Amino acid sequence: MDLQFWRDRWENQEIAFHQETVDPHLQALWPQIAPPAGAAAFVPLCGKSLDLHWLAQRGHRVVGVEISALAAEALFREHGLQPEIATRGAFQEFRHGPIRLLCGDFFDLAPNDLADVRLVHDRAALIALPEATRRTYAAKMGELLPRGAVILLITYDYPPAEMAGPPYPVTPAEIERIYGNAFAIKLVEDQDGLAHRPRYREKGLTRLTERVHLLQRH
């Protein structure tokens, strides 16, 4: 994963991937996927996502990991929060109330960092990674998560020749290939992404399939 690429995107405010609303899939599926009381939720490659605050408002501790310190600072500043900042191993930790953001490389995480996580919200992490990195990312997720943990995974699929990622196209066959050994996989939704993401039509896509998956750690 090209970490400097993402630092530069935040430095230059090239962050069209940031959603100004809470992910509708997370909200719609919440009755089905809500972690048990006391469990934590994890948002990988989280940026300044509003999803972290939404999860915290539902009474859960939230762990995020993000490479850009600018994004980490904005996550709290834009909500009028002043986090405590400390060095924790390979990470700079930003913490306020139930939200803990680890600023550093996802691949430096250890299982004890996510030991009490029961839900992962992956709206924009897997699709941000090139194909060569996605298998390594999925394997790392299998190492990190405890049994029974659920991943809410959002993917895009489109003709690769029509757009250079990120976001990258990910097929159901690839999901099965990279996650199938460690997770039970369920396709929850399959919809026309161009219908509600017109900017991708403007980029030249003739087809964009947005899929929602639930993965549960064996």
Side-chain angles (χ1 to χ4, degrees):
M1 181 165 57
D2 186 348
L3 302 181
Q4 192 57 48
F5 171 84
W6 292 105
R7 292 190 186 98
D8 291 344
R9 289 286 292 266
W10 281 97
E11 180 71 31
N12 299 322
Q13 287 298 290
E14 297 172 354
I15 54 171
F17 50 82
H18 172 69
Q19 287 189 165
E20 296 294 343
T21 59
V22 175
D23 180 41
H25 300 301
L26 176 61
Q27 296 179 77
L29 289 169
W30 187 248
Q32 183 177 344
I33 63 174
F42 174 52
V43 184
L45 284 60
C46 62
K48 58 175 183 177
S49 173
L50 300 180
D51 299 339
L52 281 82
H53 295 283
W54 190 88
L55 289 162
Q57 288 165 2
R58 270 132 197 88
H60 295 282
R61 289 170 294 112
V62 185
V63 182
V65 67
E66 166 58 43
I67 192 59
S68 169
L70 292 178
E73 292 163 359
L75 174 75
F76 297 96
R77 183 185 65 250
E78 293 179 6
H79 289 262
L81 304 174
Q82 182 63 49
E84 296 179 0
I85 303 174
T87 299
R88 306 289 187 214
F91 296 92
Q92 189 177 29
E93 180 188 77
F94 293 70
R95 184 191 288 268
H96 188 282
I99 299 178
R100 175 175 172 243
L101 191 150
L102 299 173
C103 187
D105 187 348
F106 165 84
F107 291 102
D108 286 334
L109 288 170
N112 62 350
D113 292 316
L114 305 182
D116 57 353
V117 164
R118 292 298 179 272
L119 174 67
V120 178
H121 182 40
D122 185 344
R123 181 192 70 79
L126 185 71
I127 59 176
L129 303 174
E131 183 177 6
T133 309
R134 291 196 293 267
R135 179 181 290 275
T136 307
Y137 169 86
K140 181 70 173 181
M141 198 67 83
E143 294 173 8
L144 292 171
L145 295 180
R147 291 181 181 179
V150 171
I151 302 176
L152 171 59
L153 174 64
I154 316 299
T155 60
Y156 296 165
D157 189 8
Y158 60 83
E162 294 184 354
M163 187 178 80
Y168 295 99
V170 180
T171 65
E174 182 179 356
I175 296 299
E176 182 63 41
R177 186 167 62 250
I178 65 177
Y179 282 108
N181 287 339
F183 293 85
I185 301 168
K186 179 182 180 182
L187 177 63
V188 177
E189 191 171 343
D190 187 318
Q191 63 184 32
D192 177 9
L194 292 179
H196 57 284
R197 302 191 188 279
R199 71 186 182 93
Y200 289 112
R201 192 186 304 276
E202 296 166 5
K203 288 178 176 288
L205 291 188
T206 59
R207 174 181 64 82
L208 175 66
T209 303
E210 185 170 342
R211 297 188 178 96
V212 182
H213 317 257
L214 289 180
L215 286 59
Q216 186 167 33
R217 185 71 172 89
H218 291 315

